[in-house]
Amino acid sequence: MADIKQTAKLAKQISSFAEAHGGAEGQIAYLGQKGARIVLVGEDGEWGDLVAPTYALAEEAVKQSGITVHEDFDGDFANKVKTGPYEWTRMAGIQLGGPKLR
């Protein structure tokens, strides 16, 4: 029963993200015992992620939401992501000349 509720909650969050960003696509990454990460990229380039307790639950939530799912986070899919100063700082931007943390 808990899995059904968790799946429905994740599916609703994915659908809400898609609605807020003109549609969305996603990719599921296995995190080992921690579960699975669902990376979402909106049509407007905004992105976010959710963590599911299992890969199977992540797959079902994405299926229920109806978004397109990619096997890999690369190519045209990765190019849709818009990044700004925050992302550069958080993702090794300091080493690459990005803004310093404040």
Side-chain angles (χ1 to χ4, degrees), residues 83-95:
T83 57
Y86 174 79
E87 288 83 7
W88 276 103
T89 301
R90 300 300 300 160
M91 296 186 290
I94 294 169
Q95 292 87 342

Side-chain angles (χ1 to χ4, degrees), residues 3-14:
D3 284 355
I4 293 170
K5 286 183 178 182
Q6 285 179 310
T7 303
K9 181 179 177 182
L10 279 171
K12 184 176 179 180
Q13 290 173 313
I14 294 166

